[in-house]
């Protein structure tokens, strides 16, 4: 084996020791014989000392070339030179061992020459040299900071990357406690490293936040790992730490998390203002210390803004509506305007530039005097609260500018950068879509409400049968306008119809269906049909609507007729909640004995009715299910609440209405609520008279006489002539065309009502009489003289009725 020379002079080399834990030592005399042999040498080659001492060292060499090299080394010894190399040596068991040797000349006191030979397994030497080179490269050239600490967490060793990261040389770090160079993260590092030291369990990827002296304005985030260092017997020597700067990835992850959270938090409702506030809430504190959302007035109203940026506003002021506000300080003392106020932005401000161009404006270093030169109040707030960085981002969706979002920093020392602006634009883009959806919904909701209000009664007139009060509470904007309705309709004979209904569903469609049903109820009430027949006709109508329009899901209705003369109220309901009755003494009863029947639109079964005689000054409450199914209530709980509220002494109906709906005044109400209260009245016996008349033409004159006498007693003499004429015509028609018995009834209520009943079911017809006809003008005269007239039917026949206003001047007699 060839000798590899690694050093050639007496002063060359790094020392006598070879790398490795076990270095064999032998001493060779000047004659080449071995005279000292260490135990390590025995372990390396297998020969005990007694087998090799006194024998030539070259006998251990395996090849002629190695023996020649050894002889040459002896020659060099005379010149006092050292040499290192690798030689092939024979192991005692016969195999060759590659040995790295280090030969140094020796001189005894007597001047005799010799050699000191240190040897080790060449493979181990090579491996340790490679390991040492790798470690030196790793610790010297690695871009990753690596540190070694003792058990008290003091630095023992740091690499060059640590020096660069901390901007401190190694001599200033060695001996200091870990974390002293970054006090803001000391507690985290200390806790983690003590756990590694005490448990022996390594940790990987724990986050350490540091502000470095080399970059004080930016917080760096490191992914740190640590493991325990022990000696061969398990004694803890310290810990090794490695740090990877993951600041950019961490910030990207944080931004993604903020964006994901914003996607969940923004757009939970279809309310424009609520959505704007959700944008402000989602951005603080992750993106901003202060956020203000300002929408154009058209956006808030649900109107369609002009497409594109806010045209023509570059040189002028822009007026917006403050719709969202959030501050890291809680009550937002930095704000010049609060939510709900009109905000004016002056020319040159970031907001006006953003609205005018449709582009975001990033102000890294905010100068109040530069940006808000024409707005002293806002400039003062900027200086007072030390705003240093600013972003104005337009809220745009479908090519329409809806408003502007302002993001500001005054506590976070970092100025905004392009990454922050990109995140703010993502926030604003998502929010703008939600705001636009809410705006469009608001427009539809407002349209539905306008339609709904136009279809519902505004002011109910005073009726002789009942005193009424009502409330209508639309659902919250997110739920949509509903199809609830109520009505109080005058009927013949001073009676009144009390109606309440509810169309299934919400929105314009429900409001339109409600309008059709309400119109139908008016028509059916005008025909004076009984309650069960009214519901039957409505049921047929809803079935037809369902066939025509699959979106029509049906309706519920309660129809009742109250007669102030008999005090009987007849009820019929189609799947609707039962009415609540309050007696004059304050006792409350839920009239759930009224047959519920099926909702409208299902068909198949007749509608049953129920009658109840009511005392005067009783209060009936008719309502829709939105009144008793408020959030947190079931139907039974809602009925109990309604009953408790209505119970007690007599109160004005308006105050009672307010008390009933007070628990429902919530922006989260999911359904419309309609309430109709009616306090019953009773017509005194002296205001109603009736007579039975034989079927005899002579009774016409007698009927006129009875009428004249009764009107005189009521003090209604001015109405005598017209009333006599109407009574004469109606009684004459009954005698000629119907059959007995015939009855005449006069009712003195808010109008004078004349009724003639007979046993015939033949319908009267108003027709135009020819010039030569002797008859056919009776009903025409009645229609001309009466304010309104009609016919109603029952089991025993029909009744023709006519009303006249209580006026001191009689109606003129029409020309014949």
């Amino acid at each position: 084996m060839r000798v590899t020379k690694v050093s050639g002079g007496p002063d060359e080399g790094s020392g006598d020791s070879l790398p490795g834990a076990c270095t064999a030592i032998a001493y060779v005399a000047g004659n080449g014989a071995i005279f000292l042999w260490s135990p390590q040498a025995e372990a390396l080659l297998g020969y005990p000392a007694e087998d090799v001492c006194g024998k030539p060292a070259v006998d251990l060499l395996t090849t002629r070339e190695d023996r020649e090299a050894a002889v040459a080394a002896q020659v060099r010894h005379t010149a006092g030179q050292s040499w290192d190399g690798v030689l092939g040596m024979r192991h005692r068991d016969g195999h060759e061992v590659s040995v790295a040797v280090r030969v140094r000349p020796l001189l005894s006191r007597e001047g005799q020459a010799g050699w000191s030979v240190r040897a080790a397994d060449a493979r181990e030497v090579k491996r340790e040299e490679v390991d040492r080179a790798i470690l030196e490269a790793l610790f010297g050239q690695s871009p990753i900071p690596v540190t070694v600490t003792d058990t008290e967490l003091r630095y023992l060793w740091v690499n060059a990357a640590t020096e660069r990261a901390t901007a401190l040389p190694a001599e200033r770090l060695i001996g200091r406690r870990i974390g002293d160079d970054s006090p803001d993260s000391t507690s985290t590092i200390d806790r983690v490293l003590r756990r590694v030291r005490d448990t022996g369990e390594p940790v990987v990827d724990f986050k350490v936040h540091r502000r470095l002296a080399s970059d004080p304005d930016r917080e760096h985030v490191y992914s740190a790992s640590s493991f325990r260092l022990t000696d061969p017997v398990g004694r803890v020597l310290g810990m090794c730490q490695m740090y990877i700067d993951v600041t950019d990835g961490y910030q990207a992850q944080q931004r993604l998390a903020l964006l994901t959270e914003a996607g969940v938090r923004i757009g939970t409702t279809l309310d424009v203002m609520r959505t704007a506030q959700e944008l402000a809430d989602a951005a603080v504190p992750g993106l901003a210390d202060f956020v203000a959302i300002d929408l154009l007035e058209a956006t808030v109203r649900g109107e369609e803004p002009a497409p594109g940026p806010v045209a023509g506003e570059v040189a002028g002021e822009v007026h917006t509506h403050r719709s969202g506000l959030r501050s890291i300080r809680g009550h937002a003392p930095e704000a010049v305007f609060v939510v709900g106020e009109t905000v004016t932005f002056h020319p040159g401000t970031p907001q006006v530039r953003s609205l005018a161009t449709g582009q975001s404006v990033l102000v890294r270093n905010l100068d109040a005097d530069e940006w808000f030169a024409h707005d002293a109040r806002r400039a003062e707030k900027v200086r007072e609260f030390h705003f240093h960085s600013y972003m104005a981002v337009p809220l745009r969706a479908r090519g329409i500018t809806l408003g502007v979002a302002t993001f500001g920093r005054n506590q976070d020392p970092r100025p905004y950068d392009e990454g922050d602006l990109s995140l703010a634009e993502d926030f604003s883009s998502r929010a703008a879509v939600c705001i636009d959806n809410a705006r469009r919904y608001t427009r539809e909701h407002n349209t539905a409400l306008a339609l709904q209000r136009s279809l519902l009664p505004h002011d109910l007139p005073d009726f002789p049968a009942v005193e009424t009060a009502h409330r209508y509470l639309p659902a919250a904007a997110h739920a949509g306008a509903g199809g609830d309705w109520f009505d109080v309709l005058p009927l013949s004979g001073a009676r009144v119809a009390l109606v309440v209904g509810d169309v299934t569903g919400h929105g314009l469609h429900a409001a339109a269906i409600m309008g059709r049903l309400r119109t139908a109820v008016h028509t059916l009430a005008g025909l004076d049909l009984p309650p069960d027949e009214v519901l039957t006709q409505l049921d047929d109508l809803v079935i037809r609507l369902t066939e025509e329009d699959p979106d029509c899901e049906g309706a519920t209705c309660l129809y009742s007729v109250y007669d102030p003369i008999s005090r009987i109220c007849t009820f019929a309901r189609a799947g609707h909640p039962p009415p609540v009755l309050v007696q004059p003494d304050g006792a409350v009863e839920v009239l759930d004995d009224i047959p519920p029947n099926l909702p409208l639109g299902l068909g198949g079964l007749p509608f049953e009715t129920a009658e109840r005689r009511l005392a005067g000054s009783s209060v009936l409450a008719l309502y829709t299910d939105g009144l008793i199914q408020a959030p947190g209530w079931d139907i039974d709980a809602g009925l109990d609440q309604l009953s408790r509220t209505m119970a007690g002494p007599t109160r004005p109906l308006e105050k009672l209405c307010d008390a009933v709906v007070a628990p429902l005044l919530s922006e989260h109400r999911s359904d419309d609520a309609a309430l109709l209260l009616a306090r019953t009245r009773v017509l005194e016996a002296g205001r109603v008279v009736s007579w039975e008349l034989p079927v005899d033409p002579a009774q016409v004159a007698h009927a006129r006489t009875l009428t004249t006498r009764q009107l005189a007693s009521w003090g209604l003499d001015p109405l005598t002539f017209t009333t006599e004429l109407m009574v004469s015509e109606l009684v004459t028609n009954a005698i000629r065309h119907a059959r007995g018995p015939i009855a005449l009834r006069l009712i003195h209520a808010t109008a004078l009502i004349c009724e003639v009943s007979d046993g015939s079911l033949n319908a009267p017809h108003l027709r135009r009489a020819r010039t030569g006809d002797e008859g056919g003008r009776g009903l025409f005269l009645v229609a001309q003289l009466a304010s309104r007239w009609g016919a109603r039917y029952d089991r025993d026949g029909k009744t023709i009725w006519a009303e006249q206003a209580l006026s001191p001047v009689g109606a003129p007699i029409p020309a014949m």
Side-chain angles (χ1 to χ4, degrees):
M1 178 177 289
R2 292 290 181 183
V3 175
T4 302
K5 180 180 178 183
V6 296
S7 60
D11 298 327
E12 293 178 349
S14 58
D16 291 342
S17 297
L18 286 168
C22 298
T23 301
I25 300 174
Y27 290 95
V28 180
N31 60 2
I34 299 171
F35 67 90
L36 285 176
W37 187 256
S38 70
Q40 290 83 1
E42 181 179 351
L44 179 63
L45 296 177
Y47 299 102
E50 57 268 22
D51 289 350
V52 295
C53 287
K55 295 181 179 180
V58 295
D59 290 348
L60 298 175
L61 303 179
T62 57
T63 65
R64 182 172 57 86
E65 290 85 356
D66 288 344
R67 286 193 290 271
E68 291 175 354
V71 172
Q74 185 177 5
V75 175
R76 285 195 298 273
H77 173 262
T78 60
Q81 295 180 347
S82 300
W83 62 273
D84 296 343
V86 178
L87 299 174
M89 292 188 175
R90 183 181 296 109
H91 193 273
R92 185 181 182 185
D93 61 10
H95 72 273
E96 181 179 320
V97 178
S98 179
V99 179
V101 296
R102 180 162 291 172
V103 181
R104 297 293 181 263
L106 295 174
L107 290 175
S108 68
R109 185 172 55 182
E110 294 80 8
Q112 294 178 348
W115 291 273
S116 166
V117 180
R118 295 179 182 271
D121 191 320
R123 292 171 299 178
E124 294 184 4
V125 171
K126 184 64 175 178
R127 184 165 54 248
E128 292 195 13
E129 287 178 347
V130 171
D131 290 346
R132 179 175 295 179
I134 291 173
L135 288 175
E136 289 177 353
L138 174 65
F139 293 128
Q141 302 174 23
S142 170
I144 299 174
V146 181
T147 66
V148 176
T149 62
D150 62 16
T151 56
E152 296 303 318
L153 309 185
R154 293 185 294 263
Y155 286 114
L156 292 177
W157 181 90
V158 299
N159 70 344
T162 303
E163 295 179 287
R164 292 192 297 270
T166 59
L168 294 173
E171 54 268 20
R172 290 188 58 186
L173 290 173
I174 302 301
R176 297 176 62 179
R177 281 183 57 82
I178 191 168
D180 288 350
D181 56 315
S182 184
D184 52 333
S185 60
T186 299
S187 60
T188 300
I189 299 174
D190 187 271
R191 183 178 64 257
V192 172
L193 295 189
R194 287 185 183 277
R195 187 169 69 249
V196 173
R197 179 196 64 187
D198 297 339
T199 65
E201 297 179 0
V203 295
V204 178
D205 193 28
F206 70 92
K207 297 298 187 294
V208 176
H209 297 254
R210 286 186 168 183
R211 290 191 182 276
L212 305 176
S214 58
D215 190 8
D217 293 334
R218 185 187 187 198
E219 183 180 71
H220 286 253
V221 182
Y222 289 89
S223 171
S225 300
S226 177
F227 56 92
R228 193 165 70 179
L229 301 175
T230 59
D231 62 13
V233 297
R235 184 177 56 188
V236 179
L237 303 176
M239 280 79 66
C240 179
Q241 290 72 234
M242 292 176 287
Y243 303 91
I244 300 176
D245 192 335
V246 294
T247 303
D248 292 339
Y250 179 82
Q251 290 179 347
Q253 186 178 23
Q254 291 296 102
R255 287 170 176 168
L256 179 60
L258 283 173
L259 197 58
T260 301
E261 182 183 4
V264 174
R265 297 177 60 182
I266 300 174
T268 61
T269 70
L270 287 171
D271 182 86
V272 171
M273 297 289 287
R274 180 73 176 273
T275 305
Q277 185 60 50
E278 288 172 345
L279 168 58
D281 293 341
V284 176
L287 179 60
D289 298 328
F290 172 84
V291 176
I293 310 300
D294 299 290
L295 300 179
L296 300 177
E297 293 288 351
T299 304
V300 177
R301 292 192 299 267
E303 299 172 0
E304 187 80 12
V310 181
E313 297 288 3
V314 179
E317 296 179 345
V318 177
H319 302 285
T320 62
H321 186 88
R322 176 60 51 86
S323 305
L325 188 64
R326 185 66 183 270
S327 167
I328 201 170
R329 290 181 168 85
H331 61 285
E334 310 98 318
V336 178
F337 301 94
V338 300
V339 173
E341 291 187 329
T342 298
V343 180
T344 300
F345 290 110
H346 295 278
T349 58
Q351 291 83 357
V352 169
R353 289 180 55 187
S354 178
L355 287 169
T357 63
Q359 303 295 321
S360 301
V361 177
L362 170 61
V363 183
R364 288 184 171 87
N365 299 303
L366 183 63
D367 183 344
D369 294 330
E370 174 186 357
W371 290 103
F372 302 107
H374 302 291
D375 194 337
R377 294 174 62 195
R378 191 172 280 109
E380 180 60 29
K381 289 287 187 180
V382 169
R383 288 189 289 266
E384 177 184 354
F385 290 96
H386 308 291
F387 281 98
H388 62 83
S389 195
Y390 218 63
M391 293 186 294
V393 180
L395 299 172
R396 291 176 53 79
R398 298 189 306 111
I400 296 172
T401 299
L402 306 170
V404 62
T406 301
F407 305 86
R409 279 181 175 165
N410 54 12
Q411 292 194 10
D412 188 337
R414 297 173 298 167
Y416 283 126
D417 57 23
E418 295 296 336
D420 296 316
L421 182 62
S422 176
L423 179 60
E425 289 176 338
D426 286 340
F427 265 62
S428 302
S429 177
R430 294 192 178 195
V433 172
C434 296
I435 289 173
D436 188 53
N437 289 339
R439 176 195 64 78
R440 298 167 72 182
Y441 177 81
T442 298
R443 180 178 60 183
E444 179 181 340
H445 182 69
N446 291 341
T447 302
L449 285 180
L451 174 61
Q452 192 179 51
R453 292 191 185 101
S454 69
L455 295 174
L456 291 173
H458 299 287
D459 295 313
L460 296 177
D462 189 31
F463 296 97
V466 291
E467 173 195 357
T468 61
H470 60 87
R471 293 291 184 273
Y472 191 94
L473 300 179
H478 71 274
D484 296 17
W485 89 92
F486 62 90
D487 257 316
V488 182
L489 304 175
L491 303 177
S492 63
R495 296 171 305 140
V496 68
L498 305 172
V499 192
V500 65
D502 185 1
V503 174
T504 304
H506 294 85
L508 277 172
H509 187 267
I513 295 295
M514 178 268 284
R516 298 178 71 173
L517 293 182
R518 182 169 180 261
T519 301
V521 170
H522 277 245
T523 302
L524 296 171
L527 297 175
D528 227 328
L529 298 178
D532 55 336
E533 184 61 27
V534 170
L535 293 187
T536 299
Q537 296 297 328
L538 286 179
D539 187 47
D540 292 340
L541 173 60
V542 174
I543 290 174
R544 291 195 300 273
L545 292 176
T546 304
E547 293 172 349
E548 296 171 2
D549 184 358
D551 292 333
C552 179
E553 301 176 13
T556 65
C557 184
L558 172 63
Y559 189 93
S560 58
V561 175
Y562 173 67
D563 187 342
I565 299 173
S566 65
R567 296 187 289 114
I568 292 177
C569 189
T570 305
F571 300 93
R573 59 181 178 131
H576 203 82
V580 173
L581 174 64
V582 183
Q583 302 289 356
D585 61 0
V588 178
E589 179 184 0
V590 178
L591 302 182
D592 50 9
D593 57 340
I594 301 172
N597 299 306
L598 295 175
L600 300 176
L602 298 181
L605 293 175
F607 291 94
E608 299 181 59
T609 62
E611 293 184 349
R612 177 68 67 94
R613 186 179 296 274
L614 304 180
S617 297
S618 299
V619 176
L620 273 174
L622 282 64
Y623 52 89
T624 57
D625 57 3
L627 191 77
I628 58 173
Q629 288 183 303
W633 292 353
D634 58 21
I635 293 179
D636 292 336
L639 279 173
D640 290 343
Q641 173 72 22
L642 176 60
S643 299
R644 287 194 301 270
T645 304
M646 296 191 64
T650 300
R651 285 173 284 176
L653 291 186
E654 292 294 333
K655 291 185 178 181
L656 187 56
C657 274
D658 292 338
V660 170
V661 303
L664 302 181
L665 299 178
S666 168
E667 62 176 1
H668 304 297
R669 190 173 52 257
S670 60
D671 197 5
D672 292 19
L675 172 66
L676 175 63
L677 297 183
R679 177 172 282 126
T680 62
R681 293 168 171 163
V682 178
L683 282 181
E684 300 174 2
R687 289 180 171 266
V688 181
V689 294
S690 61
W691 303 277
E692 286 194 11
L693 303 174
V695 183
D696 182 354
Q699 293 298 316
V700 175
H702 181 57
R704 288 199 298 267
T705 301
L706 294 173
T707 299
T708 302
R709 192 179 302 156
Q710 186 60 49
L711 293 184
S713 67
W714 283 339
L716 300 179
D717 298 283
L719 299 179
T720 301
F721 180 76
T722 55
T723 307
E724 282 185 342
L725 185 55
M726 286 191 291
V727 167
S728 178
E729 293 297 334
L730 293 177
V731 172
T732 299
N733 284 343
I735 292 173
R736 285 183 178 179
H737 305 293
R739 64 176 182 268
I742 297 174
L744 170 64
R745 185 168 73 160
L746 298 178
I747 303 172
H748 181 195
T750 54
L752 177 61
I753 304 169
C754 175
E755 296 183 344
V756 175
S757 303
D758 58 54
S760 172
L761 294 177
N762 293 330
H765 295 286
L766 181 66
R767 64 185 181 85
R768 183 182 298 276
R770 295 182 176 86
T771 304
D773 291 344
E774 295 183 359
R777 298 178 178 83
L779 283 181
F780 177 76
L781 286 174
V782 172
Q784 295 297 311
L785 295 174
S787 56
R788 65 189 194 108
W789 73 283
R792 67 174 182 269
Y793 298 85
D794 55 30
R795 298 186 186 92
D796 301 324
K798 68 175 183 296
T799 299
I800 308 298
W801 56 270
E803 289 185 5
Q804 298 179 79
L806 299 180
S807 171
V809 179
I813 300 176
M816 298 297 292

